[in-house]
DNA sequence: GTGTTTTGACCGAAA
DNA sequence: ATTTCGGTCAAAACA
């Protein structure tokens, strides 16, 4: 493959700066349901944030001094996953709901987590999103987004051994893999790596696979890492998404770094009637269209009156709509995931994975019709500490601020999507509440704040006009440039990168 | 014949 | 100016 990355795209009309991404999730659930298997997500251990200021990555490492490390305690991720399983109508036999509701969450939320007054983990899990039935899988809360997305993002799959195992030889499990949820085609799968004799990861959770097809284009031994780094590029035409994977000799994935956003749908597992959802998050509106043509949307509105310099409220409503707008994603992001390396037996499948890092946005495609490759970044004079700017969205006016806050919120969602427990384990302050809105409908709210910035996400759930099924995707992350970084107090805050002004200067955005 | 992986070369950025 | 490093290229090998 050659140089399409550098080819100039023809001028395009700017429409939106948001991301459009399709993901097929329902098929996963279908498969899980069909096999009647359980979903197991191993807990993440407590993490401590380390900063590589040069790389602008957040790296965390194991902190053995936490209760999250205790295998015997229920894992929040498991709990959340089980909720998903529950909602998806497949078994999750290991969940002890009574236990969860009574005390286990508190155990999971180990000391580093600061549970604010008013936040009840039980309440959190009792949010409408979790209690909704499978007939109305409307993402009504952040939890909903995060959990469902975790399913997608990390391709959690049933612990059925055949399915849990990588089915190709060599290291090609990284690339060109069908979804583990795809129905097994006996003839096809037989020639693949027969790992059936090996023990699958106990968590039944394949952290190395995802729903895209990748082509390896390089491998390098990087410093300070005993494992080589392998470079992969999405095989989809004109897609610039890449990922880097570090693997032990045994095939245990220790680190995955995603970069870029796929500009296409998830490659469809053939012959499977999966449900695909298209999501668009465009200027206050989240539109969703699933595979069966049912469409829905909800508004993500910023309440300007509450939008002060320190807080904002984003009200989310669900409503029936079909105004999907063609939009191309212009966001390039980097998602770094670091996994623990405790794999004992099964090669190529991560055991007890550990998701660590946050997203770092990096735009290389601007919406001016051309593609741009970032070649440098510089701290501007007079800005001694750019990393600590923009805790509070900087804006020229309330609309700017609203947008910025909205993007912060979306990034928060993304953070949770990557790891629902992340915010907890990294001392992200948040608060959650459950209440009844003016129309008697339950609503779940979550607020998060760091050093200075404070933003409230308040998502009111409205009963959809028509039953909305299979809405499994979150609003897409706004193309904000920044990352979640711990501040001096150890709180995680979104840091909007300096030197990325082009983001804010996108026409039609502010 | 096509698509992918391997692997040393190559390149730009930073030290 | 030179070295180091991370990332990419691309030809050859491979499936
Ligand atoms: Zn792609």
């Amino acid at each position: 493959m050659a140089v399409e990355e550098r080819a100039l795209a023809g001028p395009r009309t700017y429409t939106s700066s948001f991301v459009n991404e399709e993901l097929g999730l329902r098929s996963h659930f279908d498969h899980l349901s069909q096999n009647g298997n359980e979903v197991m997500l191993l807990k993440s251990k407590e993490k401590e944030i380390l900063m590589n200021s040069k790389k602008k990555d957040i790296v965390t490492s194991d902190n053995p001094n936490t209760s999250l490390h205790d295998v015997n305690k229920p894992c929040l991720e498991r709990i959340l996953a089980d909720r998903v399983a529950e909602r998806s109508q497949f078994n999750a036999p290991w969940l002890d709901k009574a236990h969860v509701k009574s005390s286990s969450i508190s155990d999971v939320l180990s000391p580093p987590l600061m549970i604010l007054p008013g936040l009840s983990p039980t309440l959190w899990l009792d949010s409408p999103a979790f209690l909704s039935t499978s007939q109305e899988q409307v993402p009504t809360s952040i939890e909903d987004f995060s959990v469902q997305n975790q399913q997608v993002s990390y391709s959690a799959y049933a612990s059925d051994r055949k399915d849990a195992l990588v089915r190709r030889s060599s290291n090609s499990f990284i690339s060109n893999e069908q979804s583990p949820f795809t129905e097994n085609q006996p003839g096809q799968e037989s020639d693949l790596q027969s790992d059936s004799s090996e023990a699958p990861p106990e968590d039944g959770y394949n952290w190395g696979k995802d729903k895209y097809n990748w082509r390896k284009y390089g491998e390098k031994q990087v410093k300070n890492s005993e494992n080589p780094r392998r470079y992969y590029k999405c095989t989809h035409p004109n897609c610039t998404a890449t990922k880097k994977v570090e693997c032990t000799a045994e095939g245990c994935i220790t680190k995955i770094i995603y970069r870029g956003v796929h500009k296409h749908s998830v490659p469809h597992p053939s012959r499977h009637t999966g449900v695909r959802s298209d999501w668009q998050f465009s200027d206050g509106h989240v539109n969703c269209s699933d595979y069966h043509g049912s469409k829905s949307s909800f508004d993500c509105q910023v309440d300007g009156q509450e939008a002060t310099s320190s807080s904002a409220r984003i009200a989310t409503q669900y409503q029936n709509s079909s105004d999907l707008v063609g939009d191309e994603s212009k966001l390039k992001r980097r998602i770094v995931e670091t996994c623990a390396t405790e794999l004992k037996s099964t090669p190529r499948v991560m055991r007890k994975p550990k998701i660590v890092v946050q997203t770092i946005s990096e735009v290389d495609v601007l919406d001016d019709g051309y593609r741009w490759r970032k070649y440098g970044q510089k701290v501007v004079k007079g800005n001694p500490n750019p990393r600590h700017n923009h805790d509070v969205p900087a804006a020229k006016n309330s609309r700017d601020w609203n947008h910025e806050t909205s993007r912060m919120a979306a990034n928060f969602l993304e953070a949770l999507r990557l790891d629902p427990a992340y915010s907890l384990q990294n001392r992200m302050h948040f608060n959650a509440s459950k209440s009844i809105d003016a129309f008697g409908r339950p609503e779940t709210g979550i607020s998060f704040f760091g050093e200075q910035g404070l933003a409230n996400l308040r998502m009111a759930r409205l009963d959809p006009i028509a039953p909305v099924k299979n809405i499994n995707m979150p609003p897409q992350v706004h193309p904000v440039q920044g990352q979640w970084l711990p501040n001096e107090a150890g709180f995680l805050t979104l840091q909007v990168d300096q030197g990325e002004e082009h983001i804010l200067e996108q026409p039609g955005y502010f």
Side-chain angles (χ1 to χ4, degrees):
Chain A
M1 58 152 276
V3 292
E4 80 279 5
E5 268 183 287
R6 287 173 179 163
L8 292 180
R12 288 190 294 265
T13 302
Y14 179 88
T15 56
S16 169
S17 61
F18 294 92
V19 177
N20 176 28
E21 187 176 17
E22 303 180 31
L23 292 174
L25 178 65
R26 176 55 184 276
S27 59
H28 300 183
F29 289 147
D30 285 347
H31 187 68
L32 292 169
S33 182
Q34 288 164 8
N35 290 340
N37 291 318
E38 63 189 28
V39 163
M40 293 175 149
L41 304 180
L42 271 195
K43 66 188 178 64
S44 289
K45 289 180 290 187
E46 179 61 25
K47 304 148 189 172
E48 71 179 39
I49 298 173
L50 302 175
M51 274 178 50
N52 183 336
S53 59
K54 178 180 176 180
K55 293 285 182 184
K56 303 177 76 173
D57 287 344
I58 300 174
V59 177
T60 62
S61 60
D62 289 351
N63 180 355
N65 303 321
T66 77
S67 61
L68 286 175
H69 195 56
D70 187 343
V71 177
N72 294 324
K73 292 181 179 178
C75 167
L76 177 60
E77 293 177 31
R78 281 179 175 237
I79 294 164
L80 298 178
D82 189 74
R83 289 289 183 150
V84 175
E86 182 181 13
R87 290 155 50 81
S88 303
Q89 294 183 315
F90 57 81
N91 297 329
W94 45 261
L95 179 70
D96 180 350
K97 294 184 180 65
H99 181 51
V100 167
K101 291 193 176 185
S102 61
S103 64
S104 61
I105 294 293
S106 299
D107 294 336
V108 172
L109 304 182
S110 55
L113 168 67
M114 304 183 70
I115 301 177
L116 300 175
L119 170 61
S120 161
T122 299
L123 177 149
W124 192 42
L125 290 180
D126 277 340
S127 65
F130 285 117
L131 297 179
S132 64
T133 70
S134 61
Q135 289 303 309
E136 36 182 2
Q137 294 184 355
V138 181
T140 56
S141 72
I142 290 173
E143 301 94 308
D144 206 18
F145 294 146
S146 61
V147 174
Q148 292 188 350
N149 246 328
Q150 168 128 337
Q151 292 288 321
V152 174
S153 184
Y154 296 125
S155 298
Y157 56 90
S159 60
D160 177 296
R161 299 206 164 204
K162 280 189 295 185
D163 293 332
L165 291 168
V166 173
R167 294 164 296 175
R168 291 214 176 189
S169 59
S170 159
N171 59 359
S172 61
F173 77 102
I174 293 295
S175 61
N176 206 25
E177 276 289 310
Q178 285 189 333
S179 164
F181 298 88
T182 305
E183 289 181 81
N184 264 343
Q185 303 292 330
Q188 278 194 343
E189 302 297 338
S190 59
D191 62 327
L192 300 178
Q193 173 121 357
S194 61
D195 287 335
S196 55
S197 60
E198 301 181 33
E202 289 180 2
D203 57 4
Y205 202 104
N206 189 339
W207 298 83
K209 294 183 60 168
D210 59 41
K211 53 202 174 298
Y212 295 99
N213 300 325
W214 305 91
R215 173 166 51 246
K216 183 178 177 182
Y217 66 89
E219 180 168 342
K220 197 85 172 182
Q221 187 70 44
V222 294
K223 201 177 179 182
N224 299 325
S225 174
E226 43 187 281
N227 302 318
R229 177 175 296 175
R230 296 161 181 171
Y231 300 87
Y232 296 87
K233 183 184 183 304
C234 179
T235 60
H236 193 277
N238 300 323
C239 181
T240 59
T242 63
K243 73 175 180 181
K244 292 172 279 190
V245 179
E246 292 182 20
C247 242
T248 65
E250 298 79 30
C252 170
I253 294 176
T254 58
K255 190 178 191 178
I256 304 176
I257 302 174
Y258 289 104
R259 189 181 189 189
V261 169
H262 296 275
K263 302 174 177 63
H264 55 89
S265 335
V266 176
H268 242 295
S270 58
R271 300 176 304 281
H272 189 69
T273 57
V275 173
R276 181 181 60 195
S277 292
D278 301 329
W279 279 81
Q280 289 188 315
F281 192 9
S282 174
D283 203 5
H285 299 278
V286 178
N287 295 313
C288 174
S289 174
D290 75 10
Y291 186 75
H292 295 307
S294 106
K295 295 179 179 178
S296 65
S297 75
F298 59 86
D299 294 333
C300 186
Q301 302 165 338
V302 176
D303 185 339
Q305 293 187 342
E306 291 191 25
T308 68
S309 62
S310 63
S311 71
R313 192 183 82 172
I314 298 173
T316 305
Q317 294 183 334
Y318 295 97
Q319 64 184 35
N320 213 13
S321 175
S322 61
D323 52 343
L324 289 173
V325 181
D327 181 25
E328 295 189 26
S329 63
K330 301 297 176 284
L331 167 66
K332 186 168 190 178
R333 72 184 177 196
R334 170 180 292 186
I335 301 169
V336 182
E337 308 169 14
T338 302
C339 299
T341 59
E342 305 175 7
L343 182 66
K344 283 184 293 188
S345 58
T346 307
R348 295 179 301 281
V349 180
M350 194 55 225
R351 168 184 298 226
K352 294 190 178 184
K354 184 159 172 251
I355 306 304
V356 180
V357 191
Q358 285 304 306
T359 66
I360 295 177
S361 300
E362 185 176 344
V363 166
D364 70 340
V365 181
L366 300 184
D367 223 348
D368 57 2
Y370 297 90
R371 294 188 178 177
W372 297 86
R373 180 180 297 278
K374 178 179 173 181
Y375 63 90
Q377 181 169 325
K378 203 158 188 169
V379 174
V380 186
K381 188 177 180 180
N383 183 13
N385 192 2
R387 291 176 149 266
H388 288 278
N389 290 343
H390 298 284
D391 278 330
V392 175
K396 296 178 283 294
N397 53 52
S398 64
R399 183 161 176 266
D400 289 9
W401 193 92
N402 291 342
H403 278 274
E404 192 58 38
T405 301
S406 175
R407 296 204 286 187
M408 288 178 62
N411 278 277
F412 177 72
L413 290 174
E414 174 71 0
L416 285 180
R417 182 182 75 83
L418 294 172
D419 183 3
Y422 183 87
S423 63
L424 313 184
Q425 296 161 356
N426 290 286
R427 305 192 185 197
M428 161 75 77
H429 282 227
F430 71 95
N431 202 344
S433 63
K434 184 174 80 172
S435 59
I436 305 296
D437 68 8
F439 302 98
R441 292 168 296 220
E443 65 180 18
T444 301
I446 184 168
S447 62
F448 60 98
F449 52 90
E451 179 185 22
Q452 313 162 40
L454 168 65
N456 274 313
L457 266 179
R458 182 168 170 272
M459 295 190 174
R461 172 180 155 203
L462 305 183
D463 293 328
I465 295 174
V468 181
K469 297 182 179 180
N470 311 319
I471 300 179
N472 297 311
M473 290 305 301
Q476 296 299 328
V477 180
H478 296 218
V480 67
Q481 298 292 299
Q483 56 189 316
W484 294 94
L485 294 175
N487 62 15
E488 296 82 354
F491 301 161
L492 201 64
T493 57
L494 177 68
Q495 309 290 337
V496 177
D497 287 351
Q498 284 290 79
E500 302 285 356
E501 296 109 345
H502 52 262
I503 295 295
L504 305 179
E505 292 170 359
Q506 288 188 46
Y509 194 78
F510 282 145

